[in-house]
Amino acid sequence: GAVVSQHPSRVICKSGTSVKIECRSLDFQATTMFWYRQFPKQSLMLMATSNEGSKATYEQGVEKDKFLINHASLTLSTLTVTSAHPEDSSFYICSASDGLAGDTQYFGPGTRLTVL
Amino acid sequence: GENVEQHPSTLSVQEGDSAVIKCTYSDSASNYFPWYKQELGKRPQLIIDIRSNVGEKKDQRIAVTLNKTAKHFSLHITETQPEDSAVYFCAAIVPGTYKYIFGTGTRLKVLA
């Protein structure tokens, strides 16, 4: 149980384009989902918290107009990187919690974004 | 706000030996501390967690201890095996939220 999927696993795009990443909870309803960014050999940095049906809460320093988050249902959250630039290249990972054992976060497999 | 420090950044042990990774947190109200294992290019996997109402938790070769007074918690892996080689992250929950603050990670190498 508690499986989280992410799509796509890898994406390469040109500078200036937008990229959408999907995060799905497959066997549970995720009341809260989180988006992280991880640079090589570094830790996970929380970008934002999203709750179904409400606006995402962004961490300090994260541009909400650049990283658009939508949590339209209890099983799906999307992150759109708008007007991507090479410095946005990173490993983006989502996680989800089910609100039952509410503290535990289950992670997706991550999306490797490369912006040329 | 919550801050989590993790040591050491790298750790090499011989197969069969024990490994200990230590973390400290800053917010005394934090009450949940998970540990994750992440292999290269893969997702973090929860390996053990502890809540503030207990001082120790064990699951086979893995144990976690918590000292609330000192605000630190540690991961102990006994009888290490090559497949234990990975990066390990500690985390502390931000009180009043479901958010985690992660430590900086420990790269564990188990030498055969």
Side-chain angles (χ1 to χ4, degrees):
Chain A
V3 178
V4 177
S5 71
Q6 219 173 308
H7 179 80
S9 58
R10 291 177 182 271
V11 58
I12 301 172
C13 69
K14 292 182 179 179
S15 188
T17 60
S18 295
V19 174
K20 180 185 282 189
I21 303 169
E22 292 186 349
C23 178
R24 294 181 185 273
S25 56
L26 298 185
D27 53 0
F28 66 100
Q29 292 188 327
T31 54
T32 307
M33 287 184 166
F34 305 87
W35 287 96
Y36 294 85
R37 181 165 52 183
Q38 186 177 34
F39 291 109
K41 297 189 178 181
Q42 293 191 24
S43 188
L44 293 93
M45 298 300 297
L46 180 65
M47 299 174 67
T49 303
S50 75
N51 292 290
E52 184 262 341
S54 61
K55 288 184 179 180
T57 303
Y58 290 82
E59 295 299 302
Q60 192 172 9
V62 178
E63 299 175 59
K64 62 180 181 181
D65 294 331
K66 180 166 184 63
F67 298 101
L68 300 178
I69 292 171
N70 184 280
H71 194 156
S73 76
L74 283 171
T75 59
L76 173 64
S77 176
T78 59
L79 167 68
T80 301
V81 183
T82 63
S83 187
H85 291 287
E87 57 266 31
D88 298 324
S89 299
S90 188
F91 193 50
Y92 292 87
I93 312 178
C94 70
S95 71
S97 61
D98 63 7
L100 297 176
D103 300 342
T104 302
Q105 293 183 24
Y106 302 96
F107 283 83
T111 296
R112 173 82 52 198
L113 170 64
T114 303
V115 185
L116 302 176
Chain B
E2 178 72 281
N3 185 49
V4 177
E5 294 188 0
Q6 184 172 345
H7 299 280
S9 57
T10 61
L11 179 59
S12 293
V13 299
Q14 288 293 133
E15 182 178 1
D17 288 350
S18 295
V20 180
I21 302 170
K22 299 182 179 182
C23 288
T24 59
Y25 60 99
S26 60
D27 194 328
S28 58
S30 192
N31 61 3
Y32 178 68
F33 308 92
W35 284 89
Y36 286 85
K37 174 183 179 182
Q38 187 181 30
E39 298 178 18
L40 189 62
K42 302 282 183 69
R43 78 182 81 199
Q45 298 268 20
L46 179 70
I47 56 171
I48 198 165
D49 56 11
I50 192 166
R51 299 185 189 279
S52 58
N53 58 347
V54 298
E56 184 175 358
K57 183 176 177 181
K58 191 173 180 180
D59 182 3
Q60 300 184 339
R61 296 187 297 110
I62 295 173
V64 56
T65 58
L66 171 65
N67 182 325
K68 287 192 295 183
T69 303
K71 290 188 286 186
H72 67 68
F73 56 112
S74 300
L75 177 71
H76 303 253
I77 306 174
T78 59
E79 300 171 32
T80 54
Q81 301 165 3
E83 50 266 37
D84 294 329
S85 296
V87 179
Y88 291 81
F89 292 100
C90 64
I93 199 166
V94 177
T97 77
Y98 290 130
K99 299 194 301 185
Y100 294 171
I101 299 299
F102 280 89
T104 48
T106 297
R107 187 171 301 276
L108 174 65
K109 287 186 182 178
V110 180
L111 307 170

